[in-house]
Each structure stands twice: as C-alpha cells, then as structure tokens.
Amino acid sequence: MAKVAKVPFFPFILLLTLVSLSHVSHAALVKNIEQFNKAAASVKPGEEIVLANGTWKDVELILKAKGLADNPIELKAQTPGKVIITGKSNLAFSGEYIVVSGLVFKDGATPTGEVISFRTSNEDVANHSRVTNTVIDNFSTDLRQMSDLWVAMYGKNNRFDHNSLVNKRNRGVTLAVRMNTEASRKNHHVIEYNYFGPRQILGANGGETLRIGTSHFSREYSNTTAQYNYFDRTNGEHEIISNKSSGNSLLKNVFFETQGTLTMRHGHFTKVEGNYFLGNRKPNTGGIRIINESQSVSNNYMYGLTGQRLRGALVIMNGVPNSPPNRYDPVIDSAMNNNIVIDSDHIELGAGADEERSAPPTTSEFSGNIILGKSNLEPFTLYDDMSGINFTGNYLNEEASTPITSGFASTPYSVTTNQYGLQSPDKALLDQIGFGEVKLPVTKKEVGADFYVKDEGKVAFQSGKHTKVKAGTDTLINALTASQPGDVLMLENGGEYLLTKFAEVHHPITIMAQEGKKPIIRSQKPNFINIENGGGLEVENLWFDGAESPDYKGNTIISTSGYSMNINYNLSVRNVKVTDLDVNGYFYFFKANAGTFADSIEILNSEFSNITGAILQLNREVDDLGVYSVENLVISGNTFTDIKEEVATVYRGGTDESTFGPMVTVTNNTLSNVGKGPTHRSGASMYFHGVQKLNISHTTWDKSAPLELFLTNGEPITVIEDVEMKDTGKIRANNTEFEAKNVTYD
C-alpha cells in the first residue's frame, strides 16, 4: 500500500496567527511630549497612543489623525486615572474616528481658550470621535474673570460620555457645543452619562455649565442630544443649561440642588423631556424656562424648587416683537405638558414682561400638569395676557388657587415618599397624565469617570483640631502658619495679641475665644488679616482695636487678597467688638477687593464704635457688567456708633440678568451717628446698588445719614419694614419703587 504523505500542521497555524495579528492594534507607550509628538505624527487606523502613568506638566497635546469606523485611533492613559495632566496644558484633536479615554486634567489651566478641543484649527475639526472616562477638576486660571472653555465640541457626530467635570472656578462655559462654521452645524453630537460636579457661584455672566450654540447662530440647527447627565450643585449662574440653537433634545437629565434653570435661551424646536429637578428647598433652585418657538416640555419632574421670576419651576417668558437673534423671540406653538411640580413655589407666565419684552405667548398649551404644594398656595404669577396659552387637564391641590379661570381641577394634596425616596403623587393621578413611575432616569453612581470619586472636597469651619494660642506678640501669626484647614484657634480670655506681620488666611480657619472677657487684637500693619485664595474666616468673641495701627489712610481689619481669587470664601463675624479705628481717615473693618467673591458674609451680634471708614466695603466691582462681590449678606443684632462712612456699601452694576444676587438681610440693628463724616462721599449710612433681594427690618437709625437705594437690573425685590428713623433723613430710592411697611420718621 502506498504511503500517504503527511503535511505538517504548524505552518497552517502560523498563517492563521499572522492573519489574526494583522487586526490587532499597535500600542505605542509614550513617556514625554517629544515621544507623543513623534507617535502622533505617524499613527494609523487601529493604533493606540498610550500616555505613561505619572504627571504630565505643561504639555499641549495635539493629535491630527484619521481612523476608521471599525479601526479607530485611540489616545488613552496607561491606567485610567493614573495619567495626571497639570500645569499649562491642554488637548486638541481633529480628524476622524478618534477615541480619548482615561485622562485626568487637574490643578492646572489651559494656555489657550479650551482645555479639551474637538479641533486643531478653525478648519481642522473632529468627526465621529469620542471622549470618555476622562476628568477635568479644578483646571482654572487664577483670574476668576478670565474666560475659557473646559470642553469645546466642534465637527459632527461626536460623543462626550462618562466624564467628570468638577470645580470650574473661573469664567467660561464648562462644556460648549460650538457652531461657528458650517462644519460644526447640524452636528448630531451626543452628550451623555457625564457628571457635572459642583460649580461655585461666579457672581457674573458666563458661568453656564452646558451651552449648545450661541446667539449668533441661534436659528441654525445643532441637533445635539444631551441625556442621562447628572448636574450636581452646578451654581455658576442662572442658566445651568443654556440652549442657544435649534433642534436639540435635552432628555432624562438630573439636576440636584442647582441654583438656576434649564433655559431655552435661543433656538426653536427644542425637546425637553424626562428630566428631574431636585431642589430640596435650597435657595434659587429652578426648573425649566421656555423662550422661542415650537418648544416641547413634557414629563419632567420638579421637587422643592424655590426660585422666583426667571428662576421658577416652570417659566414661560414674554418675548420681543421682531426680536433680533440676541434677544428674546416670542413663545409660539410651544407646549408645557404632563409635568409634575411638587412643593415648588413659583410658576411664572409672561415672565420678564416690560416695554421691550411686550409679546406674550401665543398658540401654546399648558396641559396635563400636576401641581401640588403647600409652601406657596398661590404658585402662579401672570405678568401679561395669557390668553395665547390653552390650559387644559391640569391638577392643582385644593388648598391652592390660580388666577387662570379654566383648565384646572382641584385634587387633594396627596404626596408620599416612594420606594426610590422621591416624593410622588398617587398612582391614579400619575395615570391620568400618563407619567409613569417617579424614578430617577440616572443616578449619581452611574455617571462620570468610573475611577474618580465624586467628592467636593470642601472643608467646613471647625472640622479640624482646636489649638490654644497664648497671648503675646505674633503668637497668633505663628498659630495661623501652623494651622490646617478647618482648625480652631482658641485665644485666651482677656489676653492681648499684637501682630507685627500680616496675618494671612489660606484655608478655612476659626479664631475665637470662649464666652467671657474678650481677647484684644492689635496690629502694626495696615491690614490685620488678609483672606487669600482658598481661605475662609470665622471670628467670634474677639476685640479688634486700632491703637497700634500705622498712620495710614485705608487701614483695614480684614480684607480679601489684592489679587484675583478663583475660590469663593466665607466670612462670619459673631459677638465681636471693634473700637477706635481712627488713627487716620478711611479705616475700614472689612474690604473686599475686585476679583474676589464671597458665598456669604455675616456680621452678627457685634458692636462697632469710633471708626473713620466703613464697616463693610463691597463696592469694588464697578465695571457695570453685572459683576458683584457677595452672594448672601446678613447684618443682624449689631450696634454701630460714630461710624464716619457707611455700615455697608454694596454695588452691583449693569443690567445683566444671569445671576441672582446680591441677597441682603439687615435686621435688629441700631445705628447712631453713622454716615456723617465730613469727607464721606455718598452721604448715606447704608448704600445698596443693584441688590436683587433686600430685606431691612426691625432696625433703628438715630442722628444718622439716610439709607440709600439704587435699584437697577432685573426685577429686584426690596422690602423695608418695622424701621424707625430718628433725626435721620428719609430713605433715598432711585430708579424704582420698594415695599415699605411701618417705616416711621421722627
């Protein structure tokens, strides 16, 4: 029998292996910018550029490449979260089918106008590309009013998903969809499953978290979808999402304690559906604002929203007839249907109505909405004729009322906490409007970069250790230098503390003494205490005296940094005595310099006497662009005697409507011989310019200069009640009326 030749099997296996390897991507591990640039210049479809773990400082990563749909080019971290990009750094990429993942931009700032850019030049944009599982945290210029974008999306068909954007501290949009060339319009971008972490109040326009388009291109179509994102206390400004283009879909996002609204600022044919707004009764929390034509707002959930006027739970605005693109197109053919509003205070219809915004909504509808609340039993405010809105099939709890004569049925206030921890109406009522189950569309855990902890990292006052500080020269300075964030420095009752250097506060710190004889603090420097960037200060049961201060005009007990501060601060003054700030003219207690911003300032139960300057000088932002110095100011339970200038001068100029503050409360104070210094320019004992919410109550003026108000932008709310003016001029109010209750003059 003939032998059968045996064919070796291994060459066949080798051939299969070679074929298989031809589809395996090539990975280039790069360890510095030079190696990256070399790899970027030659990268091919299916290949990876891998940044080595470690810190990459002062690098501008530029990638121009073209992958394929089934063979993209990847730029990735060696280990997600272990590549830290810092210093003056950024990333720009353009081409086709590029995937970026696993990077962390932290504690730096972009040297250009964008941190991550989907383009490398005006002409070279990215298409069919993706950024995922990436972080930008505290990547902000030191100058808070210097504007930049953290993410700028250009081109078409790009995706931005599962990223964490946290702690933007300077001006500029967190994520912007740009449409300034034809190549970036009708883009069909998808923005989803991102964590937009806390953003501090900016105190100016330009603090949007997500903006799609601009007023220049507002009537162009973007066709962007933003869905399943989580907005966590993104409080930069009034517009959390600023829709400024047409054809966009904003779906199933969660807004947690956000001070602002989802605003259809420009553009038509916007779909807003399935979003959840959890205000939890926090100040200025808002919902959805309709402007423009053919807008659809349906099946959204609002709970515990307190915002008013332009910041209501549901807002339909008046428009400008024949509006230019940058103003307010009238609301036409729009619908606000099948939404749930629980324990939220305000629904505003025709909001913003004035001589310019004189066009009320037309051919629109408000149907199938459930409004249940006890905090405000008159939730609807109508600012104009609302006959252009068809009201049908709505439900309002029976204790509440509305000026709208039809389209509302009364129903019992029946709200329970459901299995998901949310406040829900009865199922029968939900079925009536076809809402379905009250359940978050996405949770905080499901969004953002999977390796990055969602921790704000904010240090509270008095959360650190308590340190006793002996009386003496510079002992307080030394204790401040050795302190850690949140520490408490305990001074000796009756002790004397002399400062021969500036006391600088770089983190939250408390300086206090136990009840009893107050320790006295004097300084040989023009400023006692400077709050620097990152700092915050509490003082309690102390005595500040000016006897050792230099003969210098403009001395200050406490001031903010002379440089721009991109981190908001807090100042609390409680049970403090301040005397004899009179060594020269213009000796102030507190002065906020330009470029600094306080979340809150409170002066409580304290006494001030013989002072040649002002107590609170909050008037350094004078550009009249809507910028101001403090969000919340409380002056309560104090006595002010022989103060040459104002107790407080607060200035917010301009007519911009993008912010909420300042908000000021003045109550239970006594002013004696205040504001009558011979060189005092304003001739007022308190001066409030452009304050958005002002309440003055239970306060007495005696032989003092008058209270002066200048009410400018927006729709300020000013209430003055139970106030007595003895041998004091009448209130000087400029520009508008205010509400006065039980104000007497002797």
Side-chain angles (χ1 to χ4, degrees):
M1 187 170 76
K3 290 185 177 180
V4 177
K6 294 183 179 179
V7 179
F9 189 62
F10 71 89
F12 181 65
I13 295 175
L14 178 60
L15 178 62
L16 288 177
T17 305
L18 291 173
V19 172
S20 177
L21 286 174
S22 69
H23 292 282
V24 175
S25 62
H26 171 71
L29 180 66
V30 297
K31 298 181 179 180
N32 53 51
I33 189 64
E34 291 77 19
Q35 291 181 7
F36 168 82
N37 289 336
K38 184 177 179 181
S42 60
V43 67
K44 294 179 175 59
E47 295 184 341
E48 297 176 352
I49 300 176
V50 181
L51 302 188
N53 291 347
T55 299
W56 291 65
K57 186 177 181 182
D58 299 332
V59 293
E60 295 190 60
L61 303 169
I62 300 173
L63 175 61
K64 297 174 67 174
K66 287 191 176 182
L68 300 173
D70 59 347
N71 252 342
I73 291 168
E74 295 190 44
L75 170 60
K76 61 192 294 188
Q78 182 180 7
T79 304
K82 299 298 185 181
V83 173
I84 310 300
I85 301 172
T86 189
K88 298 297 183 184
S89 301
N90 60 9
L91 165 65
F93 61 95
S94 63
E96 306 277 337
Y97 298 104
I98 297 169
V99 179
V100 177
S101 67
L103 309 180
V104 178
F105 292 82
K106 188 171 176 63
D107 299 335
T110 176
T112 59
E114 299 159 350
V115 180
I116 297 177
S117 180
F118 283 67
R119 72 172 184 181
T120 55
S121 71
N122 288 346
E123 296 77 27
D124 297 308
V125 299
N127 299 306
H128 302 286
S129 294
R130 180 185 183 194
V131 174
T132 186
N133 207 32
T134 287
V135 173
I136 308 178
D137 184 356
N138 190 32
F139 215 74
S140 304
T141 175
D142 292 338
L143 301 173
R144 67 181 294 118
Q145 294 302 330
M146 180 72 75
S147 181
D148 57 44
L149 307 177
W150 269 11
V151 179
M153 297 186 74
Y154 299 88
K156 298 182 189 293
N157 301 299
N158 295 313
R159 185 182 180 202
F160 188 83
D161 68 283
H162 294 91
N163 303 293
S164 297
L165 306 178
V166 186
N167 287 324
K168 192 174 196 306
R169 302 190 185 281
N170 64 309
R171 194 171 191 169
V173 182
T174 305
L175 191 161
V177 174
R178 306 287 284 143
M179 300 172 59
N180 49 337
T181 67
E182 186 63 37
S184 296
R185 297 171 199 159
K186 295 181 181 177
N187 53 66
H188 298 280
H189 296 323
V190 176
I191 301 165
E192 61 184 354
Y193 293 100
N194 299 291
Y195 176 66
F196 294 95
R199 181 168 183 180
Q200 64 187 14
I201 297 168
L202 181 64
N205 189 11
E208 304 98 328
T209 297
L210 171 60
R211 189 185 70 205
I212 306 174
T214 61
S215 60
H216 295 89
F217 308 103
S218 60
R219 289 162 187 171
E220 300 281 351
Y221 281 80
S222 180
N223 300 333
T224 292
T225 297
Q227 61 187 4
Y228 299 107
N229 300 290
Y230 198 100
F231 296 83
D232 184 2
R233 292 163 289 164
T234 49
N235 300 334
E237 63 144 270
H238 171 53
E239 297 178 11
I240 304 303
I241 292 182
S242 183
N243 185 88
K244 291 189 172 182
S245 53
S246 296
N248 300 314
S249 297
L250 309 173
L251 313 173
K252 300 182 179 179
N253 303 286
V254 176
F255 299 80
F256 179 79
E257 297 180 1
T258 56
Q259 295 186 25
T261 61
L262 186 164
T263 301
M264 284 159 271
R265 182 62 182 87
H266 296 303
H268 310 308
F269 296 96
T270 313
K271 183 179 182 181
V272 179
E273 185 174 303
N275 301 283
Y276 276 58
F277 297 80
L278 308 179
N280 298 328
R281 306 295 304 166
K282 299 293 183 180
N284 296 319
T285 47
I288 299 170
R289 183 159 60 122
I290 285 183
I291 313 165
N292 311 298
E293 301 178 20
S294 302
Q295 314 286 43
S296 176
V297 174
S298 65
N299 291 87
N300 300 284
Y301 173 92
M302 290 89 174
Y303 169 72
L305 305 178
T306 62
Q308 190 172 4
R309 296 184 175 170
L310 301 188
R311 306 94 162 162
L314 296 174
V315 180
I316 301 178
M317 285 197 67
N318 260 29
V320 178
N322 302 310
S323 175
N326 67 330
R327 293 303 293 153
Y328 292 81
D329 280 331
V331 175
I332 302 172
D333 295 336
S334 295
M336 191 171 268
N337 297 341
N338 305 103
N339 302 288
I340 296 175
V341 182
I342 296 178
D343 292 335
S344 298
D345 293 346
H346 298 284
I347 296 173
E348 312 280 7
L349 304 179
D354 56 21
E355 290 184 5
E356 181 199 25
R357 293 181 292 214
S358 60
T362 58
T363 59
S364 295
E365 59 184 44
F366 189 99
S367 177
N369 299 288
I370 299 172
I371 297 122
L372 304 175
K374 291 189 174 180
S375 55
N376 180 13
L377 296 179
E378 297 179 347
F380 284 86
T381 303
L382 280 57
Y383 296 91
D384 206 332
D385 175 16
M386 291 296 110
S387 61
I389 300 178
N390 182 30
F391 297 92
T392 59
N394 300 289
Y395 295 89
L396 185 67
N397 57 289
E398 54 197 10
E399 304 96 327
S401 63
T402 172
I404 303 161
T405 57
S406 64
F408 287 83
S410 290
T411 187
Y413 178 92
S414 181
V415 176
T416 57
T417 303
N418 68 12
Q419 60 182 314
Y420 306 110
L422 298 174
Q423 301 301 301
S424 176
D426 292 340
K427 184 178 184 303
L429 203 55
L430 293 172
D431 290 343
Q432 285 290 325
I433 67 168
F435 190 90
E437 197 172 30
V438 174
K439 179 183 179 181
L440 292 182
V442 70
T443 66
K444 188 173 176 180
K445 185 177 180 180
E446 294 173 305
V447 299
D450 60 14
F451 57 82
Y452 209 71
V453 176
K454 300 178 182 72
D455 179 12
E456 187 178 2
K458 207 169 186 180
V459 178
F461 284 123
Q462 302 191 37
S463 60
K465 66 179 180 180
H466 286 56
T467 301
K468 292 181 179 180
V469 182
K470 292 185 177 296
T473 299
D474 289 336
T475 55
L476 178 55
I477 297 282
N478 296 335
L480 273 173
T481 302
S483 69
Q484 297 296 316
D487 282 358
V488 179
L489 304 183
M490 299 294 301
L491 307 193
E492 296 177 349
N493 289 104
E496 295 189 11
Y497 294 80
L498 180 64
L499 312 178
T500 68
K501 308 171 186 177
F502 291 116
E504 294 186 350
V505 173
H506 294 275
H507 46 245
I509 195 78
T510 301
I511 306 172
M512 64 179 295
Q514 298 288 353
E515 288 187 20
K517 190 174 181 181
K518 291 178 170 62
I520 188 166
I521 302 173
R522 299 186 177 97
S523 179
Q524 295 177 349
K525 303 296 286 184
N527 297 350
F528 283 45
I529 302 173
N530 293 329
I531 301 174
E532 301 295 334
N533 200 29
L537 179 64
E538 279 189 328
V539 291
E540 182 173 353
N541 199 40
L542 307 179
W543 180 359
F544 294 97
D545 183 75
E548 290 285 336
S549 295
D551 188 0
Y552 183 84
K553 285 187 177 181
N555 288 341
T556 307
I557 300 297
I558 304 169
S559 71
T560 60
S561 174
Y563 302 96
S564 179
M565 292 168 55
N566 68 3
I567 303 176
N568 295 359
Y569 67 94
N570 293 285
L571 172 64
S572 178
V573 176
R574 301 189 297 269
N575 193 29
V576 162
K577 183 176 181 179
V578 182
T579 57
D580 298 333
L581 309 188
D582 63 350
V583 66
N584 208 318
Y586 314 113
F587 200 146
Y588 302 99
F589 175 70
F590 176 73
K591 179 165 63 177
N593 287 305
T596 67
F597 188 83
D599 284 329
S600 70
I601 296 173
E602 58 179 17
I603 310 294
L604 308 177
N605 305 318
S606 297
E607 53 182 295
F608 300 80
S609 63
N610 192 24
I611 296 171
T612 60
I615 306 302
L616 296 170
Q617 192 175 63
L618 299 161
N619 62 347
R620 295 295 183 176
E621 301 289 358
V622 296
D623 291 337
D624 288 345
L625 298 174
V627 182
Y628 52 105
S629 297
V630 59
E631 186 72 5
N632 298 283
L633 172 62
V634 177
I635 304 170
S636 177
N638 307 289
T639 60
F640 304 97
T641 306
D642 298 330
I643 314 296
K644 293 291 194 295
E645 295 192 8
E646 303 99 338
V647 165
T649 172
V650 181
Y651 190 93
R652 181 199 196 276
T655 58
D656 187 83
E657 295 178 324
S658 299
T659 48
F660 298 103
M663 292 175 284
V664 179
T665 299
V666 178
T667 187
N668 293 304
N669 301 285
T670 300
L671 288 73
S672 301
N673 191 29
V674 174
K676 288 192 167 185
T679 60
H680 182 31
R681 291 184 294 274
S682 79
S685 55
M686 292 186 181
Y687 180 70
F688 299 110
H689 185 113
V691 170
Q692 291 296 283
K693 189 173 183 180
L694 174 63
N695 191 299
I696 301 176
S697 66
H698 301 97
T699 292
T700 299
W701 275 257
D702 186 15
K703 296 182 176 63
S704 295
L707 165 67
E708 184 167 355
L709 314 173
F710 198 99
L711 308 177
T712 56
N713 55 297
E715 298 173 319
I717 300 170
T718 303
V719 178
I720 301 174
E721 54 188 336
D722 298 317
V723 164
E724 187 176 7
M725 305 279 186
K726 299 177 180 179
D727 196 14
T728 296
K730 290 196 172 185
I731 298 170
R732 300 199 298 253
N734 302 287
N735 208 43
T736 191
E737 299 293 327
F738 61 90
E739 184 178 354
K741 302 176 183 178
N742 194 26
V743 177
T744 61
Y745 299 91
D746 294 331

